[in-house]
Amino acid sequence: MSTTDEHADGGHGDHHLPATEDWPRGFGEASWWPFVTAIGGSGIYIGAALLVLSLGENALVSTTIGAGATVASVGLFLVGIYGWLYHAFVSDFWERGTDHHSGRTLKFAMLLFLGSEVATFGAGFIYYFMVRGTDVWVGADIPHVWGSLVIVNTVILLVSSVTLHYSHVALLNGNRDRFMKLLGLTLLLGIIFIGGQVYEYYEFIVHENFTIAQGIYGSAFYGLTGLHGLHVTMGAVLLGIVFVRAYYGQYSPERHTSVSTASMYWHFVDVVWVFLVVVLYMGANLV
């Protein structure tokens, strides 16, 4: 029974998602994946709060609970993103055989999404600069976070933007082999960056006892770099889906909208990282 039939019956009938024939065309079908993604995203904040409450001498919950809730929420969020995109694009491609999505519409949608991301990161930066301008910052324990690891990680992420750009250029020029190799290299560099950030967190937390509960700088540092790390991970999922689609020959010089939108997202997280390095790493100990 479609939603139209339900309204005709006065709202009676089974409660379910709109039928396939009633769902607007152009951006996938009715799906529960957005709800799974939203639950995972909201759970990340809950897990982070539990993690903060588990730190310190007067911990209210176990560290295992906070860390477990955070990791589980991040996993659920990424699974939701993967399922959502797979349902909207990959499986839809096999069913229809053509890329019916409007390239201009999807690029505009990505621009709107990136606009919301600018607002999200902008709010974090504003919080950081406002705190730095108060007396609370004076005497705060600011660790030295600038080092060789962040330099290497930055170079890796910037190089990944270059390889992704030329991968897209190769696709537009009809060079599928070069497109696949550079795309795979980009994905590999992104995974290495994520691993480098995890290792950095391990060094700070275990060996230097620098945690999110260590003052206003700790909350700003882990809040912003953690948010960025989540975005890079989500970008790696996007590139992974693009790579699989590319492997099965779903792109051509005439059809490359998904590659373009994924590139826009990846270049955005690279630019944000440069701001984070300048503000949080290089500028942390500046008076």
Side-chain angles (χ1 to χ4, degrees):
M1 179 184 291
S2 68
T3 51
T4 304
D5 296 330
E6 289 180 12
H7 287 302
D9 293 335
H12 299 290
D14 297 333
H15 295 282
H16 53 71
L17 287 173
T20 301
E21 59 270 17
D22 297 325
W23 195 255
R25 298 298 179 187
F27 199 76
E29 306 296 343
S31 172
W32 286 108
W33 287 114
F35 297 98
V36 175
T37 306
I39 292 173
S42 60
I44 292 173
Y45 293 96
I46 298 174
L50 291 174
L51 189 59
V52 171
L53 293 175
S54 69
L55 301 175
E57 297 180 358
N58 299 319
L60 299 179
V61 296
S62 169
T63 304
T64 304
I65 295 177
T70 303
V71 171
S73 297
V74 169
L76 184 63
F77 176 78
L78 295 175
V79 168
I81 286 291
Y82 172 81
W84 189 355
L85 294 175
Y86 185 89
H87 178 85
F89 296 103
V90 182
S91 62
D92 187 68
F93 175 89
W94 293 119
E95 292 174 3
R96 297 177 183 274
T98 58
D99 195 351
H100 68 283
H101 304 300
S102 168
R104 181 176 299 178
T105 299
L106 292 181
K107 289 179 181 178
F108 181 67
M110 177 57 75
L111 286 175
L112 291 178
F113 174 71
L114 293 181
S116 69
E117 293 295 278
V118 169
T120 300
F121 280 101
F125 280 115
I126 290 173
Y127 153 75
Y128 176 75
F129 286 122
M130 288 185 64
V131 170
R132 285 209 62 165
T134 65
D135 295 335
V136 180
W137 189 265
V138 179
D141 184 16
I142 311 298
H144 291 277
V145 294
W146 176 254
S148 58
L149 180 58
V150 66
I151 296 175
V152 172
N153 251 8
T154 301
V155 171
I156 288 174
L157 200 59
L158 293 179
V159 169
S160 73
S161 260
V162 176
T163 57
L164 183 57
H165 169 74
Y166 283 104
S167 173
H168 193 191
V169 171
L171 174 63
L172 295 177
N173 292 333
N175 191 338
R176 184 177 183 277
D177 184 62
R178 180 177 174 82
F179 163 61
M180 288 292 297
K181 288 180 179 178
L182 289 176
L183 180 61
L185 179 58
T186 302
L187 180 58
L188 177 62
L189 291 173
I191 294 173
I192 293 174
F193 174 86
I194 296 169
Q197 191 167 16
V198 171
Y199 176 73
E200 180 185 60
Y201 278 13
Y202 173 79
E203 287 291 319
F204 285 155
I205 296 173
V206 177
H207 293 158
E208 300 182 24
N209 197 30
F210 172 46
T211 68
I212 192 173
Q214 190 170 332
I216 53 177
Y217 178 75
S219 62
F221 177 86
Y222 285 104
L224 284 169
T225 59
L227 181 64
H228 179 267
L230 178 62
H231 280 74
V232 175
T233 305
M234 187 168 67
V237 173
L238 290 175
L239 291 180
I241 294 175
V242 170
F243 184 82
V244 172
R245 293 190 66 185
Y247 178 80
Y248 285 104
Q250 296 185 5
Y251 298 117
S252 68
E254 295 76 28
R255 187 174 58 202
H256 54 88
T257 301
S258 298
V259 181
S260 299
T261 51
S263 297
M264 292 166 61
Y265 180 85
W266 192 258
H267 295 320
F268 169 78
V269 296
D270 286 7
V271 171
V272 171
W273 177 252
V274 173
F275 277 96
L276 285 173
V277 169
V278 173
V279 173
L280 285 178
Y281 287 87
M282 297 176 63
N285 300 104
L286 296 179
V287 178

